[in-house]
Amino acid sequence: MATEHAPTASEYIVHHLTFLTNQKQVGLVDWSVLHLDTLFFSIGLGLLAVFIMARLAARATSGVPGRFQAAVEIVIEMVADQAKGIVHSPKSREFVAPLALTVFVWIFLMNAMDLVPVDLLPRAGEAAGIPYMRVVATADLNATLGMSLAVLLLCLYYSVKIKGFGGWMHELFTAPFGAHPLLWPINFAMQMIEYVAKTVSHGMRLFGNMYAGELIFMLIALMSAAWVGTLGSGLLWIGGVIAGTIWAIFHILIITLQAFIFMMLTLVYVGQAHESH
Amino acid sequence: MNLNATLFAQLVVFLILAWFTMKFVWPPIMKALDERAKKIADGLSAADKAKSELALTEKKVVDELKKARESATELRAGAEKQGVALVEEARQEAARIIAQARQAAEAEAGVAAQRAKEALREQVAVLAVAGAERILRKEINAQVHADLLANLKQELK
């Protein structure tokens, strides 16, 4: 990139961290803005995942499975086992277990976009006239908080469904400290903090991991981009190749682990909604 | 870290995908898994059954073999006994026949000896007469001396 208009390192990073939006964001929270790139990649990968799995499911045989079916079966059995261990209501599992599967596969795919070379798709987008593009949807706080909010809604739904509205209210005011009227506000405050903390940490954990991972890929890309023909820059280029390789291999673990953690926490939170204190 | 409407879009998409998975992905695959588990269980129990049946059959075969061997032994013993009895009978028969033959031969020999003696006696009489004729140089009338000759014969007995 030894052109006259080569971006500086900070310009490069900022450019890579800018979303493609329908309109300019004003302030920290602006409900009229949509991240088009996040939506495109998350919906696209989500549809890809469920349609491939649905096609497989339609042809699933109880005889000798093919390799792909066996692979999907391994994932599904893993999710089903975890769901069985955490959510004890078979009726709820009918929805929660497929939800956990969706979460796992979908987040895994969105995270895996991190392994696509950082400049590949944005460059292609620029060539096609799209000025900004972020390909890792889970590195967008909106995406991860959106999913954790969905989990929160499910928790509330199942709390009311299992315990009844009255039972849930009773729990909100009497757990964790006790039923004494003086403790009611404290209990309620604790419950609220718990719900908020659960939801925010749930979304933030995935976002933080993916955001940091993406940023490091960008820094490594900068390292390699320093190549200008001198010995020092050549060494940097080699360093970039080595670091990129190591980080990408390590990231295979991260993307799987984060998808798994998100799935497990989803199950745990929904499972907690089923238990009365 | 800007928050915006993407959040709600993501929320809705998430729930729709989960619903889709629940409807079209999860049940068929779980069904296939359960069916396969049942097939395997059935196969295993069938194998167990076949194994126990095989063991039973083997036991039966051993029993049958034992039975056959026993009956064969019995048959052989019976046959031997019968053979021995047959031989014994034959031997007795033979002994009887031999004894009979000997008796007959002895009887016959006795008769023959008697006859030979008779013949000899006749001849002795003739010889005696011939000898007396020679001595007396004179023919003795056989009819006349029949009593004499008969006496002589009697004495030679």
Side-chain angles (χ1 to χ4, degrees), chain B residues 63-138:
Chain B
D63 281 356
E64 288 290 323
L65 270 178
K66 209 169 128 195
K67 224 182 270 172
R69 209 171 288 139
E70 269 168 12
S71 76
T73 311
E74 215 167 277
L75 269 178
R76 199 188 298 138
E80 264 170 15
K81 218 162 122 194
Q82 206 174 340
V84 167
L86 270 176
V87 168
E88 191 56 34
E89 207 174 299
R91 195 175 287 148
Q92 277 172 10
E93 178 76 11
R96 198 178 57 76
I97 288 170
I98 288 168
Q100 215 170 21
R102 190 183 293 146
Q103 220 171 10
E106 270 172 8
E108 208 167 316
V111 170
Q114 195 63 35
R115 201 179 291 139
K117 259 185 205 165
E118 264 336 295
L120 208 57
R121 212 179 286 143
E122 294 282 349
Q123 292 208 345
V124 164
V126 174
L127 273 175
V129 171
E133 232 173 22
R134 281 224 189 119
I135 295 165
L136 293 174
R137 299 274 180 215
K138 189 180 156 199

Side-chain angles (χ1 to χ4, degrees), chain A residues 125-144:
Chain A
E126 272 170 45
I130 300 167
Y132 299 105
M133 185 190 292
R134 291 190 61 180
V135 298
V136 188
T138 41
D140 180 352
L141 187 58
N142 290 291
T144 59

Side-chain angles (χ1 to χ4, degrees), chain A residues 25 28-31 33 35 42 57 61-63 69 73 76 94-95 97 99 102-103 106 142-143 146 149-150 207, chain B residues 1-11 14 17-18 20-22 24-26 28-30 32-33 35-36 39:
Chain A
Q25 171 120 9
L28 192 64
V29 180
D30 185 346
W31 297 126
V33 173
H35 287 164
S42 68
T61 166
S62 61
Q69 190 186 334
E73 279 173 4
I76 287 192
E94 277 176 23
F95 178 61
L99 177 112
T102 310
V103 161
W106 190 26
N142 290 291
L149 269 180
F207 160 74
Chain B
M1 304 317 99
N2 305 321
L3 286 179
N4 53 43
T6 313
L7 194 150
F8 298 108
Q10 188 80 5
L11 194 160
F14 177 32
L17 288 180
F20 186 90
T21 309
M22 175 187 77
F24 299 108
V25 176
W26 193 264
I29 293 182
M30 281 318 247
L33 286 175
E35 269 171 17
R36 188 172 320 130
K39 268 187 197 171

